[in-house]
Amino acid sequence: MTAWSAEVLKRHGLTGEEYARIEATLGRAPSWPELGVFSVLWSEHCSYKSSRVHLRRLPTRGPLVIQGPGENAGVIDAGGGHTVIFKMESHNHPSFIEPKQGAATGVGGILRDVFTMGARPIALLDALRFGDPAHPRTPHLVKGVVHGIGSYGNCVGVPTVGGDVVFDPCYDGNILVNAMAVGVARADRIFLGRAEGVGNPVFYVGSKTGRDGIHGATMASEEFGAQSEEKRPNVQVGDPFVEKLLIEACLEVMSEDLLVGIQDMGAAGLTSSSAEMAARSGSGIVLHLDRVPMRESGMTPYELLLSESQERMLMVCARGREARLIELVSRWGLDVCEIGVVTDSGRFVGTWHGQTVVDIPVSALVDDAPKYERPMAPPPPSPPLDLDAFPQAADGDFTPALSDLLARPSLASKRWVYRQYDHMVRTGTVLRPGEGDAAVVRLPETPRGVAISVGCNGRMCALSPRRGAAMAVAEAAVNVACVGARPAAITDCLNFASPERPAVMWSFSEAIDGLALACEALDTPVVSGNVSFYNETEGRGIHPTPMVGLVGLMPEAARAVGSAFPDAGLDVLLLGRVRPGLAGSEYAAGVGAPLCGDAPDLDLTAVRSLVEALLALHASDLIVSAHDVAEGGLAVALAECTFGDAAVGLVAAAPEHAERADEVLFGEGTGRVIVSTRDPAGVERICSQAGVPVWPLGRTAGQRLQITLAGRPVIDATVAELRARWATGFAGAVE
């Protein structure tokens, strides 16, 4: 057998050095199916070959952690014998090529990661990044992605309860579609992706295998170029109705003692699920590929091993329980058949009509996959932001600036998006999209709640990857504390450009350290996650975007607090101390300022004190509403607080903590929260005990938002006028 050509290796994403290593491992040239197996399992997407040396610096243990990274999803203890299981993944490249199916199958894949652990999915969230709204392709991508998420989640019967949508020109050629799923399971019924027990049969369950998605993992491990549209065959096609059947079938099988291990066929399909299960158990596996259910004629072993057809599971059944497993799965009208067996050989073996076509050491595919310490170098220092170049408000009136900010699609109402999602199916949603700083769903069969927040400010990470990543964790923690939940743990989805560029690897390493610092300071270990490299097109990369999904726990879901002022006559207070900055802010972007300067300071100790103060205030029933000050700054946050059903206005005096009015009103920084209360003295007492500064802003009244600074008016508009700009900004940009 002769070695494969350089062109063949390039198409498989393998370097010459990696191929030489393959031949040395096998003692021969690989067969065509073996070449495909190495290609997908050694891809960046599956092997994490550029990130593993850095990921080990993340904190992954804690008193609530039952299962950390390394399995299909993370698991935390929710008390009372319940667990919360969650993970976030990317489906960026497929969604850029085919937005509807790319986004839909991203949702399907993350759901399978959760229910393969034994969990009933209870919530979906999405974190989306698109390019300039004026870019000719952006509206098409937005519509397709939102349609894909909505159509899949709605049909499968899992509520989409929250998310995050941001626009920035850096995503013009490479959008981000990050999906998060949350599920619940009994603590004594957690299932792992293991192939244990020599002689135990291996079962294929779910949809038949087709040719869709072949080399999807390899495609996700390379940058886009001019011919990216030709990669449509690498995008999978999903069927949410089959996924619903698969959920019910899996949970029914899991209710009995039938399984030794289970894993979904996600990236790299049958290959990754079987090899990873064997690697975790130190076992071997034999797959009889001619037994795999096929929906297309003439399929080859190569195609069957690499197909990423959706809605498929691999189950290792306890020997002697095969008939019962087949009976239960068949009830749901799904394909189920025995396609292999667990061995003690330590080898990954595939046969085709009795002939061995793949025979590779499992360790070579998984544990001994390439691991690189890529060169790192910081980019040139960012020049300072020239504040003198910012436009000056006429007569000190910043009302037009606020109105323009509220209409920017990144800040405007996302109702256009979430009205396409079913967020109330299963009737467990307590805070719906747009109602609070975090989504809140009930923990089934209990009064307790689960709060979830997702997001990341890519511009801040571009200015300072370390601080920006820490800010993502801190803001998510504050968000769940605003609704009344204690931050518990995070999942991450680390979106970066090519790891082959030293500046990108430097930013990745810095972001890892930022995540670690924030997670340690806030007691929120990382229990699951995903790395997505090569998010760039023709050498133009995205901002570092380490997306964070944070889960919090609360004793009573019914006591969750929204972000809008519910009534007149409430005292409004600003909690926390941050010196806001305009570098990286939405205001700076809106006036055309370059992305430069330094990200705002972040005091993680102060953020922790703020979180503890918020939880104490909730426990004492002192908070009527709570909303963190984030993108857009103080003025935008105050305006958002007036956009509730009551549409009540506010007369406020802004704190005088900066020389420039625009910094006070629109400067950004993590660690401030606006609360409304009927007992301001009680709030100040608890905050004083926690060491959290309090600034009395004013009182809700009337139907205008009026803000003064140093005794002079700087903003004055009706709530209706501002809300109209905010309510139509998103739709106006994408329709």
Side-chain angles (χ1 to χ4, degrees), residues 220-549:
S221 304
E222 57 189 23
E223 66 176 275
F224 280 149
Q227 309 304 316
S228 294
E229 289 293 322
E230 298 177 1
K231 296 180 179 179
R232 284 183 185 273
N234 295 128
V235 179
Q236 312 96 311
V237 178
D239 185 337
F241 298 105
V242 173
E243 180 102 337
K244 174 62 174 172
L245 297 175
L246 187 60
I247 291 173
E248 301 305 330
C250 287
L251 293 179
E252 188 168 1
V253 167
M254 291 168 173
S255 69
E256 302 186 19
D257 293 326
L258 305 179
L259 297 183
V260 174
I262 177 172
Q263 183 152 322
D264 77 294
M265 298 188 213
L270 179 59
T271 291
S272 65
S273 57
S274 53
E276 289 172 3
M277 290 176 78
R280 293 190 190 108
S281 305
S283 62
I285 195 166
V286 174
L287 299 176
H288 304 297
L289 301 172
D290 49 289
R291 300 181 190 175
V292 172
M294 306 172 214
R295 68 166 182 258
E296 300 182 48
S297 61
M299 291 193 72
T300 65
Y302 180 98
E303 293 171 325
L304 292 166
L305 285 164
L306 272 60
S307 169
E308 294 182 10
S309 293
Q310 295 290 285
E311 295 90 36
R312 301 180 301 158
M313 286 283 183
L314 199 66
M315 298 181 179
V316 176
C317 181
R319 175 65 69 183
R321 306 305 307 276
E322 300 94 329
R324 181 59 175 163
L325 185 146
I326 293 170
E327 177 188 356
L328 291 179
V329 174
S330 298
R331 235 183 239 181
W332 296 95
L334 298 169
D335 279 285
V336 51
C337 59
E338 186 176 337
I339 65 165
V341 64
V342 177
T343 71
D344 61 359
S345 68
R347 302 189 74 82
F348 178 84
V349 176
T351 71
W352 182 248
H353 298 288
Q355 299 295 314
T356 298
V357 293
V358 173
D359 188 355
I360 305 170
V362 170
S363 59
L365 294 173
V366 182
D367 299 326
D368 298 333
K371 182 168 60 178
Y372 297 132
E373 295 195 35
R374 302 275 192 189
M376 298 189 297
S382 173
L385 182 63
D386 183 7
L387 295 178
D388 293 334
F390 278 48
Q392 298 299 308
D395 302 322
D397 182 10
F398 285 90
T399 306
L402 173 60
S403 180
D404 289 345
L405 268 177
L406 290 169
R408 287 179 63 81
S410 292
L411 296 181
S413 168
K414 304 306 186 296
R415 187 176 183 277
W416 185 93
V417 175
Y418 62 73
R419 72 180 180 181
Q420 301 183 52
Y421 301 158
D422 187 340
H423 43 262
M424 292 303 293
V425 65
R426 301 191 64 81
T427 67
T429 307
V430 177
L431 283 183
R432 295 172 293 182
E435 290 186 338
D437 279 16
V440 176
V441 293
R442 292 185 187 88
L443 195 63
E445 302 176 5
T446 79
R448 301 195 297 278
V450 180
I452 318 137
S453 175
V454 296
C456 173
N457 190 320
R459 283 200 293 267
M460 296 302 178
C461 293
L463 295 177
S464 171
R466 181 184 296 235
R467 200 177 308 160
M471 289 171 69
V473 178
E475 184 175 338
V478 171
N479 283 338
V480 301
C482 279
V483 302
R486 177 172 291 280
I490 77 163
T491 181
D492 58 43
C493 196
L494 310 179
N495 305 275
F496 287 77
S498 171
E500 297 169 39
R501 291 200 277 132
V504 173
M505 278 312 302
W506 175 85
S507 69
F508 182 82
S509 178
E510 286 287 294
I512 291 293
D513 288 340
L515 291 173
L517 285 169
C519 289
E520 289 168 352
L522 300 172
D523 289 336
T524 53
V526 182
V527 298
S528 60
N530 169 244
V531 177
S532 176
F533 276 130
Y534 294 100
N535 288 290
E536 61 179 67
T537 299
E538 297 180 350
R540 184 170 180 265
I542 64 166
H543 293 327
T545 314
M547 207 74 73
V548 168

